[in-house]
């Protein structure tokens, strides 16, 4: 599953270049902490209502906490940084036109606004927003309509699953509401990009989810050593 | 700084500190009223009524032969999603010992006169559904139910976007409804859907969604 995802995103080429060895260590450290915590969560990808997972979750859930909320927000911020830069470069590249350009340009604006909103929320809560990583998109990512949109579609579906993977771990109801209000917009993006790329806008009746460690695992191979 | 969901549901709204109002999002969680929902069964039965309404709406609309090709495929998928939501929510209510509400009597009047009226009404339903789930999410106490409700909410947002695009609406304000989704109170949702309920009093009880 992870290896498939690796291939889908940028053909396995690095997208996250860490500015310095110090930054790289601190990124890996937080990813590891995150991975340990998420390991206690009994999530499975797919329809969360099928089977008897409800009771299994109740016993396995990590305890939501204010510190956990800040970690989740910084995780969301990292994904939003990635999306914002990706769309900024993609729209600038000029490979889209007409209705497609009209549909994708607001996505860029949304992701940029999400970066600002999540940053502001972290600051409101007394936390420190993570710095924007240096992203290095592989050559060719923005050279064709097909490549840009296919990558965008993969990102949006991953982003939707990432947000839904945090729903039960968020402690504050306000942050839950804020995160959900962003997640819904990501779902809209995902549906539109599926439509533009001939994919499936409605892949399941209930959004699937992925725990933080699985999403980060998908990003880890792209971190420059 | 901490807001415990349980405390909130007990109704002590005044303890929610302004500092956590997420002003940056310009979109505080619209907390309806604490009296809106007294239990997870209340929330689920509210959602169930909306899903009944949507499922029946698409069943009738898709039977009317107004759309074809890719549009038809999409709307068939939407109908199937809504039917799945009905089944999922009914089963969940039963699993937690509640009584699922009965389907309301509906009257969609002229909604199926044309492709445009069908899609335009669908667009309203989907966007109200998105707002309804977001507005009710904070009342849900059970984590598994919250996960499912959030998952349904996301799918309704997908429906809303695609239908807005089928209608050729402006991307911002028609396909996407802003940087964040906007929660709706139960009152606002009921007001929007009441024209389609043959018995307008069906969801009007403020104390609980009894139906």
């Amino acid at each position: 599953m992870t290896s498939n995802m690796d291939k889908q995103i940028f053909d396995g080429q690095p997208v996250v270049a860490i500015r310095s060895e110090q930054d790289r260590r601190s990124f890996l450290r937080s990813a590891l902490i995150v991975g340990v915590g998420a390991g206690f969560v009994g999530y499975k990808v797919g329809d969360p209502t099928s089977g008897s997972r409800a009771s299994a979750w109740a016993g396995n859930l990590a305890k939501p906490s204010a510190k956990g909320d800040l970690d989740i927000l910084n995780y969301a911020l990292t994904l939003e940084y990635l999306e914002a830069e990706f769309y900024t470069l993609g729209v600038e590249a000029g490979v889209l036109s007409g209705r497609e350009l009209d549909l994708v340009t607001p996505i860029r604006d949304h992701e940029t606004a999400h970066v600002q909103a999540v940053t502001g929320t972290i600051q409101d809560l007394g936390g420190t927003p993570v710095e924007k990583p240096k992203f290095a998109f592989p050559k060719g990512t923005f050279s064709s309509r097909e490549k840009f949109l296919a990558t965008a579609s993969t990102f949006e579906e991953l982003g939707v699953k990432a947000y839904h993977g945090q729903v039960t771990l968020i402690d504050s109801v306000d942050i839950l509401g804020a995160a959900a209000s962003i997640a819904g917009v990501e779902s809209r993006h995902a549906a539109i990009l599926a439509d533009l790329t001939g994919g499936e806008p409605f892949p399941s009746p209930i959004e699937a989810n992925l725990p933080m460690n699985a999403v980060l695992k998908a990003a880890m191979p792209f971190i420059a050593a | 700084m901490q807001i415990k969901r349980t405390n909130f549901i007990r109704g002590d709204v005044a303890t929610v500190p302004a500092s956590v109002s997420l002003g940056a999002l310009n979109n505080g969680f619209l907390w309806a009223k604490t009296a809106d929902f007294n239990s997870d069964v209340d929330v689920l039965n509210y959602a169930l009524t909306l899903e009944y309404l949507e499922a029946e709406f698409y069943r009738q609309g898709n039977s009317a032969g107004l759309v074809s090709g890719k549009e038809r495929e999409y709307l068939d998928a939407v109908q199937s999603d809504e039917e799945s939501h009905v089944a999922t929510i009914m089963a969940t209510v039963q699993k937690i010992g509640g009584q699922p509400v009965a389907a309301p009597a509906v009257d969609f009047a002229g909604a199926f006169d044309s492709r445009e009226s069908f899609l335009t009404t669908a667009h309203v339903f989907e966007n109200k559904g998105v707002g309804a789930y977001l507005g009710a999410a904070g009342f849900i106490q059970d984590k598994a139910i919250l996960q499912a409700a959030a998952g349904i909410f996301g799918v309704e947002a997908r429906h809303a976007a695609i239908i807005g695009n089928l209608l050729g609406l402006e991307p911002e304000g028609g396909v996407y409804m802003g940087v964040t989704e906007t929660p709706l109170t139960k009152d606002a949702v009921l007001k929007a859907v009441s024209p389609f309920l043959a018995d307008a009093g069906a969801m009007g009880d403020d104390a609980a969604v009894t139906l």
Side-chain angles (χ1 to χ4, degrees), chain A residues 103 110 114 171 188 195 205, chain B residues 2 74 85 172 176 179 181:
Chain A
L103 285 167
H110 295 162
H114 292 167
D171 182 58
R188 288 181 194 257
D195 178 60
Chain B
Q2 284 303 299
Y74 280 178
H85 296 166
E172 193 61 88
Y176 318 116
V179 166
E181 300 294 345

